[in-house]
Amino acid sequence: MSKTVIEVKDVTMNFHMNLDKILSLKEFVTRKLSGKLAYQDFTALDHVSFSVKKGETLGLIGRNGAGKSTMLKVIAGILKPTKGSVVCHGNVVPMLELGSGFDVDLTGQENIFLNGAILGYDEEFLRGKYDEIVEFSELGQFIEMPIRNYSSGMLARLAFSVASVVQPEILIVDEILAVGDAAFQEKSRKRMMELMGGGTTVLFVSHSIEQIRQMCQRVVWLEFGQIKEIGLTEAVCSAYESS
């Protein structure tokens, strides 16, 4: 019996949102001091519980605003839940907002070491993987240019190449396979399948139900921040599509 590596227990995530469109710090301070700021509480996740076994690929589906990306950020440790807890047994590599750890003033080469360090890898390890990262990214001579000159596709390819070159125990993926052109998307999908085949536990969000069907054993269907259904991929995907 595979051991449980991710335990999500009764997780609730509330946000205190400002409803006013404020254009300056001065306006914000003025309204704050006069008590004229309007707020609304929003519950993105509402008492969500599930677990993931070692080596399993679990898909998260649901319409925009259902809470999928928020759930991934809570599991990755980026957000602290208002209530409940998340326990992960193993190192977590989040592929959420690709390139968010990059510095636009540095070259692609320098950003490999910066982003790799953010993911927890030392310089010696990254030097050993450097050629593999550059080759996978297909950036060629552009690797020595400041990334401010990169297109969004080039940036995504570099970020994916850095994040996927390692063998994480837990991989958290948000729409990652939409990066680059069709050929690079297929290469990314194959790389993801290699990681899964190597025993990596994967949480995967995608708006493509076809991708979810191809890559996941089980699926959590979120609706309005709550679990609508959880179970085997085909049954949950079919129910979602007919809803």
Side-chain angles (χ1 to χ4, degrees), residues 221-242:
W221 172 7
L222 288 174
E223 196 165 276
F224 303 115
Q226 297 179 318
I227 292 181
K228 172 83 171 177
E229 195 171 325
I230 183 169
L232 295 175
T233 300
E234 186 53 42
V236 178
C237 287
S238 295
Y240 176 73
E241 287 179 319
S242 63

Side-chain angles (χ1 to χ4, degrees), residues 149-160:
N149 300 315
Y150 284 19
S151 67
S152 58
M154 292 166 69
L155 189 65
R157 276 167 24 209
L158 180 61
F160 182 87

Side-chain angles (χ1 to χ4, degrees), residues 31-104:
R31 290 203 192 185
K32 180 78 171 173
L33 292 175
S34 64
K36 292 181 180 177
L37 281 177
Y39 288 100
Q40 178 180 347
D41 288 326
F42 172 70
T43 300
L45 297 169
D46 188 6
H47 300 287
V48 174
S49 297
F50 62 87
S51 61
V52 189
K53 299 288 187 185
K54 179 177 172 55
E56 183 178 22
T57 301
L58 181 77
L60 272 71
I61 62 173
R63 289 164 181 82
N64 289 337
K68 306 182 299 297
S69 294
T70 301
M71 186 74 258
L72 294 189
K73 287 176 181 176
V74 169
I75 293 170
I78 296 168
L79 294 175
K80 181 177 173 58
T82 309
K83 295 177 185 174
S85 65
V86 173
V87 177
C88 295
H89 303 279
N91 73 308
V92 179
V93 172
M95 289 191 204
L96 300 178
E97 293 162 357
L98 280 180
S100 59
F102 285 175
D103 184 329
V104 296

Side-chain angles (χ1 to χ4, degrees), residues 59-64 68 173-178 185 189 204-216 219 233 237 240-241:
L60 272 71
I61 62 173
R63 289 164 181 82
N64 289 337
K68 306 182 299 297
V173 184
D174 192 353
E175 296 288 358
I176 193 78
L177 300 179
Q185 286 181 30
R189 189 189 69 80
F204 182 51
V205 163
S206 176
H207 282 99
S208 168
I209 296 300
E210 192 53 43
Q211 279 186 353
I212 294 286
R213 280 192 165 104
Q214 287 176 4
M215 305 181 77
C216 303
V219 173
T233 300
C237 287
Y240 176 73
E241 287 179 319

Side-chain angles (χ1 to χ4, degrees), residues 179-204:
V179 305
D181 57 23
F184 193 83
Q185 286 181 30
E186 178 58 21
K187 189 164 82 164
S188 300
R189 189 189 69 80
K190 287 179 179 176
R191 179 69 184 129
M192 290 285 298
M193 298 301 282
E194 288 173 15
L195 289 173
M196 293 172 194
T200 297
T201 303
V202 181
L203 265 73
F204 182 51

